[in-house]
Amino acid sequence: MITGEVSSSSPTTHRPASMGQISRRQSDSNFDESDAIDSYHVEQEEVEAIEKSTSGSMNHMVTKMLSNFANTPRLLILSSWFLLAVCAATTVRANNLHDNQGPRFMIEPTHRLEFMNRAGSRLDCTANGNPTPNVEWLDQENNLVTTIPKVRHILANGSLYFPPFEAEAFRQDVHWTNYKCIASNSVGSIVSADVNVKAGKYI
């Protein structure tokens, strides 16, 4: 009689997963996907931030370069105008200094004048300058000389004229005294040396 052993082991059976295990798996899966999505969004935001920063920097650099190029001609023009203004002001000032001149004697009176009463005589004094100088005469007390009819005349050209006179018309303060010429304008004035005038008389 042949005897055999019969395996008492039963075929493997799979138990269905419980609802708790399924929920845990789904939760783990959802958690991994959420983390991945959040990580993607973070990385995307970082990339966008870097792009914005880079773009902003590039835009700023381009704008600055364009501004520099745009401002360069203006600076050159302003510098040119400034230099022209300085040159013009210097030229005007130099011209004014050249144009405005103090008086200078062209004809300065002699130091001594003698004449006879019947002849008469004249003292000449002229000066140039810019503005045109005004020529006047001072007596020995530095008083302004004026015209005395038939005795002493100041001519239009600035000369001091002594007409002929009679002996009885002799005046020491006119015919025997000192005079000096003064020429002046807005720049300054000059004074000549004293002129000694002596008029002789016929008796």
Side-chain angles (χ1 to χ4, degrees):
M1 182 176 172
I2 299 172
T3 60
E5 296 180 0
V6 180
S7 174
S8 60
S9 60
S10 59
T12 303
T13 58
H14 297 281
R15 295 179 183 179
S18 64
M19 292 300 296
Q21 292 177 340
I22 294 174
S23 297
R24 195 180 306 115
R25 290 175 184 174
Q26 290 180 348
S27 176
D28 292 341
S29 175
N30 291 337
F31 178 78
D32 293 339
E33 291 179 359
S34 177
D35 286 347
I37 292 173
D38 290 343
S39 177
Y40 171 78
H41 286 315
V42 169
E43 291 178 357
Q44 187 69 20
E45 288 176 359
E46 290 178 352
V47 170
E48 291 178 357
I50 293 172
E51 288 179 351
K52 288 182 180 180
S53 176
T54 305
S55 176
S57 299
M58 291 297 294
N59 290 336
H60 178 71
M61 290 177 62
V62 172
T63 303
K64 188 175 182 180
M65 290 174 64
L66 292 176
S67 176
N68 290 336
F69 281 118
N71 289 333
T72 299
R74 293 181 185 176
L75 294 174
L76 292 175
I77 292 172
L78 291 175
S79 300
S80 300
W81 277 110
F82 177 75
L83 291 175
L84 288 174
V86 171
C87 291
T90 304
T91 303
V92 170
R93 185 177 180 184
N95 290 336
N96 289 337
L97 292 175
H98 176 73
D99 292 342
N100 294 334
Q101 294 180 348
R104 294 183 300 173
F105 284 122
M106 297 179 64
I107 299 176
E108 190 172 357
T110 60
H111 298 301
R112 188 179 182 87
L113 177 65
E114 294 181 355
F115 63 95
M116 299 306 295
N117 63 308
R118 294 182 181 179
S121 191
R122 186 183 68 196
L123 285 173
D124 294 324
C125 181
T126 59
N128 65 359
N130 190 20
T132 302
N134 183 38
V135 176
E136 298 174 304
W137 293 88
L138 301 175
D139 62 19
Q140 62 183 7
E141 281 82 26
N142 290 327
N143 296 317
L144 193 63
V145 171
T146 58
T147 294
I148 301 174
K150 299 181 180 181
V151 177
R152 182 180 65 196
H153 297 273
I154 299 175
L155 304 181
N157 63 356
S159 294
L160 187 60
Y161 174 60
F162 301 95
F165 60 94
E166 296 296 330
E168 294 79 9
F170 174 82
R171 289 180 53 169
Q172 186 170 352
D173 63 330
V174 174
H175 300 113
W176 200 280
T177 187
N178 294 325
Y179 295 93
K180 51 190 169 187
C181 176
I182 178 172
S184 59
N185 63 9
S186 60
V187 179
S189 60
I190 53 175
V191 181
S192 71
D194 287 348
V195 181
N196 182 245
V197 173
K198 289 183 179 181
K201 297 183 294 181
Y202 284 113
I203 298 175

